[in-house]
């Protein structure tokens, strides 16, 4: 009855040949890495002599990429687990304003304000996650609600307390020197935020590929029900990832608040979309279960290069958004193709 | 009496004919949801090295029976015994700790995840201590490859996504996984129903393989042609009741097909179809 398959030797050969092609296709970051090289080459040719290739030019696009990349790496992990976070922009505004207000109103030293902002963002992330896993609502809706609630509350509270929408003067706050060194200094002309970006990406990659938790992230995103059946603590994984994205948003808020010596209630607005696009360009599937933190690094790098490169070429910066949309569509199409190839059954 | 004794404890108890004690036995279990009775008074048992097939058409109560055996549902009445000891299973996890593993048709595998990561999902091997405790990739790859080889599946690259495997192989990986993690009883939910003839054959072979390795297998299917070659005993479910259990020696394939499809109804249908055919040729 059970007549099966071909001889083992023949079958191994078949596996090997398809394995090589597939293994390349199965690297989620492949497309983004190729894209980053292409974009770099384009601007190197178009704007190489107007400063894109110079050290300061490189430092400027890396700094833009770093702030976006910290967020994109965290969001990638969340998206691999099958969830979204639209509230990160608002968390940036709320965290930054927490730091600024605690100094402005009560004269808190910066480290204390930062500690409060970290605690607040972790709480928001926890609530986001709890709401998603308890209600079963799409995280798109839950975090869209959080986006508006937080954004409104930040503006409302700031205006009620200070009568303004911008709060500055952080350079006079206690502990500014240490904090500035940690988050906003530059090393040999390069912003320290780049080191944070790479550090966060390295840590995320390690978690994703070399820990049990990382395996759970893939499992939860690949099939919630199957992962639960196998004993993966699905809810805990999701809540922790929402907390991680909130924490990443807080880190960016700190970097920006210290860099500018103050903050604005609108800081971070619209960031959530750029971040999701960067993650998708990085090869992370919108539907979860597949992706990488390294891909998000390349996705953010593409963003940084284009945003700064457009300035160097002298093209009107409005075209940046056209590029954003185009890249998103292309990335999704490429991802869909790769996913189909990867999941294709061998008959 | 009703204490859920874990497996090792029952090993300590000296037992004269341990092979004769069923690994899993249910005695006249029923399950009602509100005032709907999904299964009524069903009894069955499986011993080590035995394949018991549960056959039934859609709506016969198969999935309720599976979920009750798997620990998802608790029976409304009746007894559930694991190696002769009555237990109350609180969850699938609880069932697993008693050595009862269920492989679901579509929830067996995560297609985009690699074979070895799928194999160990939820029970990953780790190495290192404290904050450096990490997923042991090498061990996972090696064990997955070895365990699959024992089932007769040769895979060179366990890092390829499960999606690249055929449907039959996917089910087989799920079976191998359950066996590796200590399953004594395998409950297979329609493992062949979504598969082509050849792929179904692959799975049937692994069912036999699992039996040879001393597992008790409960094979749930609506296809008597898949059940007959591998089954040692056959239980037919109809409208939530057991129509009876036959040893292989006592029933032929034709008889099984007949009983399974409600014999007379099928004969009636055949008769009607012949009529249609005759009408068609006349006009």
């Amino acid at each position: 009855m059970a007549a099966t398959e071909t001889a083992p030797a023949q079958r191994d050969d078949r596996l090997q040949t398809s394995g090589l092609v597939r293994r390349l296709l199965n690297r989620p970051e492949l497309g983004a890495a190729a894209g980053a090289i292409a974009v770099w080459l384009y601007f190197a040719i178009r704007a190489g002599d107007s400063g894109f290739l110079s050290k300061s030019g490189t430092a400027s696009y890396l700094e833009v990429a770093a702030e976006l990349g910290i967020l994109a790496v965290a969001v990638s992990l969340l998206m691999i687990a099958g969830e979204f976070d639209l509230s990160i922009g608002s968390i940036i505004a709320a965290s930054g304003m927490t730091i600024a207000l605690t100094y402005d109103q009560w004269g808190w030293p910066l480290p204390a304000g930062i500690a409060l902002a970290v605690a607040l963002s972790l709480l928001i992330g926890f609530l986001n996650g709890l709401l998603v896993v308890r209600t079963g609502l799409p995280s798109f809706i839950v975090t869209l609600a959080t986006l508006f609630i937080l954004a409104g509350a930040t503006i409302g509270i700031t205006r009620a307390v200070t009568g303004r929408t911008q709060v500055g003067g952080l350079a006079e706050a206690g502990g500014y020197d240490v904090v500035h060194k940690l988050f906003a200094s530059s090393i040999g002309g390069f912003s320290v935020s780049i080191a944070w970006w790479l550090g966060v990406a390295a840590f995320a990659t390690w978690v994703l590929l070399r820990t049990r938790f990382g395996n759970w992230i893939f499992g939860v995103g690949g099939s919630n029900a199957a992962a639960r059946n196998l004993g993966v603590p699905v809810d805990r994984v999701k809540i922790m990832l929402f907390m991680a994205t909130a924490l990443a948003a807080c880190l960016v808020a700190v970097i920006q608040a210290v860099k500018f010596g103050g903050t604005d209630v609108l800081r971070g607005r619209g960031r959530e979309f750029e971040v999701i696009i960067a993650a998708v360009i990085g090869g992370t599937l919108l539907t979860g279960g597949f992706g990488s933190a390294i891909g998000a690094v390349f996705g953010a790098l593409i963003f940084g290069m284009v945003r700064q490169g457009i300035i160097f070429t002298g093209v009107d910066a409005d075209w940046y958004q056209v590029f954003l949309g185009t890249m998103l569509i292309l990335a999704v199409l490429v991802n869909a193709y790769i996913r189909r190839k990867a999941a294709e059954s061998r008959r | 009496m009703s204490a859920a004794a874990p497996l090792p404890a029952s090993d300590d108890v000296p037992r004269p004919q341990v092979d004769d004690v069923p690994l899993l036995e249910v005695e006249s279990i029923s399950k009602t949801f509100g005032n709907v009775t999904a299964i009524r008074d069903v009894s069955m048992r499986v011993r080590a090295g035995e394949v018991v097939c549960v056959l039934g058409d859609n709506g016969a109560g198969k999935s309720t029976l599976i979920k009750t055996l798997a620990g998802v549902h608790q029976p409304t009445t009746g007894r559930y015994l694991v190696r002769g000891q009555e237990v109350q299973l609180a969850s699938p996890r609880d069932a697993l700790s008693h050595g009862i593993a269920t492989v679901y048709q579509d929830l067996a595998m995560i297609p985009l995840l690699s074979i070895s990561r799928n194999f160990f999902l939820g029970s990953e091997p780790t190495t290192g201590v404290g904050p450096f405790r990490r997923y042991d990739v090498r061990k996972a790859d090696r064990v997955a490859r070895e365990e699959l080889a024992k089932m007769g599946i040769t895979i060179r690259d366990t890092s390829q996504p499960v999606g690249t495997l055929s449907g039959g192989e996917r089910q087989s990986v799920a079976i191998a996984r359950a066996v590796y993690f200590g399953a004594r009883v395998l409950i297979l939910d329609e493992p062949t129903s979504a598969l082509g003839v050849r792929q179904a054959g692959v799975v049937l072979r692994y069912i036999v393989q699992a039996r040879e390795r001393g597992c008790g297998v409960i094979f749930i299917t609506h296809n008597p042609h898949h059940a007959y070659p591998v089954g040692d005993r056959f239980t037919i479910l109809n409208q939530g009741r057991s129509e009876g259990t036959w040893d292989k020696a006592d029933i032929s394939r034709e008889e099984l097909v007949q009983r399974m499809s409600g014999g007379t109804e099928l004969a009636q249908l055949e008769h009607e179809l012949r009529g249609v055919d005759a009408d068609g040729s006349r006009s």
Side-chain angles (χ1 to χ4, degrees), chain A residues 55-60 62-63 185-192 194:
Chain A
K55 190 174 132 190
S56 66
T58 306
S60 83
L62 283 181
E63 189 177 353
S185 60
S186 63
I187 306 161
F190 291 91
S191 166
V192 74
I194 300 165

Side-chain angles (χ1 to χ4, degrees), chain B residues 68-89:
Chain B
T68 309
L69 293 176
V72 177
H73 296 324
Q74 283 66 50
T76 315
T77 59
R79 305 207 308 154
Y80 191 129
L81 300 102
V82 176
R83 294 177 154 208
Q85 303 255 348
E86 184 165 351
V87 295
Q88 251 116 44
L89 300 178

Side-chain angles (χ1 to χ4, degrees), chain A residues 151-191:
Chain A
T154 305
I155 297 173
I157 291 171
T158 307
R159 252 217 274 260
V161 171
T162 66
R164 290 168 284 150
T165 55
Q166 286 180 319
V167 180
L170 289 183
E172 275 86 61
Y176 176 79
D177 291 342
V178 181
V179 172
H180 185 270
K181 191 153 251 128
L182 267 177
F183 295 104
S185 60
S186 63
I187 306 161
F190 291 91
S191 166

Side-chain angles (χ1 to χ4, degrees), chain A residues 314-331:
Chain A
V315 175
D316 194 338
D318 296 340
W319 291 99
Y320 172 64
Q321 294 195 6
V322 174
F323 164 81
L324 274 189
T326 314
M327 277 304 279
L328 178 63
I329 289 290
L330 280 177

Side-chain angles (χ1 to χ4, degrees), chain B residues 15-281:
Chain B
R15 212 176 278 279
Q17 323 131 293
V18 79
D19 279 343
D20 261 11
V21 178
L23 291 175
L24 189 161
E25 181 170 15
V26 288
E27 276 177 9
S28 55
I29 54 164
S30 304
K31 178 68 191 173
T32 54
F33 299 98
N35 42 18
V36 178
T37 304
I39 50 174
R40 189 192 301 263
D41 213 16
V42 174
S43 298
M44 60 180 295
R45 67 175 81 91
V46 61
R47 295 191 179 85
E50 196 177 50
V51 177
V52 176
C53 299
V54 177
L55 291 128
D57 213 340
N58 294 340
K62 280 180 303 184
S63 48
T64 306
L65 180 61
I66 297 162
K67 285 183 175 160
T68 309
L69 293 176
V72 177
H73 296 324
Q74 283 66 50
T76 315
T77 59
R79 305 207 308 154
Y80 191 129
L81 300 102
V82 176
R83 294 177 154 208
Q85 303 255 348
E86 184 165 351
V87 295
Q88 251 116 44
L89 300 178
S91 66
R93 200 111 187 100
D94 200 9
L96 215 53
S97 71
H98 283 91
I100 299 160
T102 309
V103 176
Y104 292 97
Q105 185 189 339
D106 22 316
L107 295 180
M109 290 279 130
I110 295 169
L112 287 169
L113 206 52
S114 78
I115 294 168
S116 53
R117 281 176 179 269
N118 254 298
F119 196 92
F120 283 101
L121 184 60
S123 319
E124 295 82 357
T126 54
T127 171
V129 285
F132 302 106
R133 212 160 74 100
R134 58 198 181 273
Y135 174 59
D136 192 341
V137 183
R138 230 169 276 156
K139 186 180 175 199
D141 281 345
R142 181 172 49 79
V143 173
R145 189 176 304 116
E146 284 170 6
E147 288 304 310
L148 293 178
K150 281 186 204 164
M151 301 285 289
I153 311 171
T154 31
I155 278 155
R156 180 166 302 196
D157 181 13
T158 49
S159 68
Q160 72 188 89
V162 154
T164 59
L165 296 177
S166 65
E169 284 171 329
R170 267 185 246 186
Q171 291 286 331
S172 310
V173 174
I175 294 171
R177 173 172 67 189
V179 173
Y180 175 74
F181 285 109
R184 304 294 308 275
V185 179
L186 279 174
I187 301 170
L188 307 176
D189 169 28
E190 298 271 5
T192 57
S193 67
L195 305 177
V197 176
R198 170 183 283 243
Q199 289 302 325
V202 175
V203 175
L204 293 178
R205 221 171 53 157
Y206 299 135
I207 291 176
V208 174
Q209 203 86 246
R211 181 187 67 187
E212 299 302 310
R213 292 174 69 184
C215 287
V217 180
I218 299 176
F219 174 21
I220 290 117
T221 181
H222 63 255
N223 191 330
H225 301 287
H226 288 165
Y228 196 77
V230 296
D232 295 307
R233 260 180 301 121
F234 306 92
T235 296
I236 293 179
L237 276 188
N238 191 11
Q239 301 194 339
R241 288 170 184 277
S242 168
E243 295 230 310
T245 299
W246 291 267
D247 281 332
K248 193 168 193 168
D250 302 335
I251 192 167
S252 71
R253 184 193 295 241
E254 290 67 33
E255 207 177 337
L256 189 66
V257 176
Q258 277 268 311
R259 288 193 178 274
M260 158 76 205
S261 47
T264 49
E265 284 169 43
L266 197 71
Q268 178 72 28
L269 182 68
E270 216 167 288
H271 182 73
E272 281 172 23
L273 286 178
R274 207 171 293 148
V276 171
D277 204 27
D279 282 349
S281 57

Side-chain angles (χ1 to χ4, degrees), chain A:
Chain A
M1 165 81 207
T4 43
E5 297 295 296
T6 43
Q10 199 181 335
R11 181 158 157 189
D12 277 352
D13 287 347
R14 202 163 52 155
L15 275 181
Q16 196 182 21
T17 46
S18 65
L20 275 173
V21 183
R22 281 233 167 78
R23 206 174 318 172
L24 268 182
L25 279 175
N26 285 342
R27 298 308 320 159
E29 55 272 355
L30 178 79
I37 293 168
V39 169
W40 184 84
L41 281 175
Y42 175 78
F43 284 113
I45 293 163
R46 281 289 311 273
D49 42 3
S50 52
F52 182 77
L53 290 174
S54 70
K55 190 174 132 190
S56 66
T58 306
S60 83
Y61 71 70
L62 283 181
E63 189 177 353
V64 171
E67 285 172 19
L68 190 72
I70 291 168
L71 301 169
V73 165
V75 165
S76 285
L77 298 204
L78 183 66
M79 280 171 61
I80 293 170
E83 301 292 346
F84 262 109
D85 193 346
L86 294 178
S87 66
I88 36 182
S90 306
I91 297 176
I92 293 176
S95 303
M97 210 37 99
T98 302
I99 298 165
L101 284 181
T102 51
Y103 167 69
D104 191 70
Q105 296 297 305
W106 304 314
W108 282 24
L110 274 183
I114 291 172
L116 183 65
V118 165
L120 181 76
S121 62
L122 286 177
L123 178 70
I124 296 165
F126 177 78
L127 291 177
N128 269 340
L130 194 70
L131 222 64
V132 168
V133 300
R134 282 280 179 275
T135 61
L137 289 171
S139 49
F140 181 86
I141 296 298
V142 170
T143 57
L144 188 63
T146 319
L147 185 166
F148 278 96
I149 294 168
L150 266 186
T154 305
I155 297 173
I157 291 171
T158 307
R159 252 217 274 260
V161 171
T162 66
R164 290 168 284 150
T165 55
Q166 286 180 319
V167 180
L170 289 183
E172 275 86 61
Y176 176 79
D177 291 342
V178 181
V179 172
H180 185 270
K181 191 153 251 128
L182 267 177
F183 295 104
S185 60
S186 63
I187 306 161
F190 291 91
S191 166
V192 74
S193 58
I194 300 165
W196 280 100
W197 173 37
L198 299 179
V200 167
F203 178 70
T205 302
W206 182 75
V207 167
L208 207 48
L209 299 180
R210 287 292 177 273
T211 67
R212 301 187 65 187
F213 191 77
N215 211 31
W216 296 349
I217 295 175
F218 282 112
V220 166
S223 168
N224 216 6
R228 206 185 290 270
N229 274 355
L230 292 169
V232 174
V234 171
D235 293 352
R236 207 175 82 207
V237 170
K238 287 189 175 174
I239 290 174
M240 285 182 73
L241 289 174
F242 275 108
M243 291 171 80
T245 53
L247 188 62
C250 185
L251 173 59
V252 171
V254 171
I255 289 172
Q256 294 190 337
V258 175
K259 184 166 74 178
F260 299 124
T263 189
D264 187 302
V265 289
L266 296 180
R267 177 87 57 214
R269 173 160 284 192
R271 263 299 159 94
E272 49 278 345
F273 297 108
E274 293 180 1
V275 167
I276 288 169
I277 297 173
V280 171
I281 290 174
T284 298
L285 281 183
L286 286 163
T287 45
F290 192 69
S292 87
I294 297 171
V297 167
F298 285 115
L301 186 59
I302 291 178
F303 263 49
M305 287 194 293
V306 173
R307 187 184 281 176
Q308 299 308 102
I310 280 182
I311 299 170
F312 283 118
T313 48
V315 175
D316 194 338
D318 296 340
W319 291 99
Y320 172 64
Q321 294 195 6
V322 174
F323 164 81
L324 274 189
T326 314
M327 277 304 279
L328 178 63
I329 289 290
L330 280 177
V332 171
L333 288 175
V334 170
N335 283 356
Y337 173 76
I338 288 176
R339 182 185 138 104
R340 205 167 52 238
K341 280 285 166 210
E344 202 163 68
S345 281
R346 193 157 48 77
R347 295 277 162 215

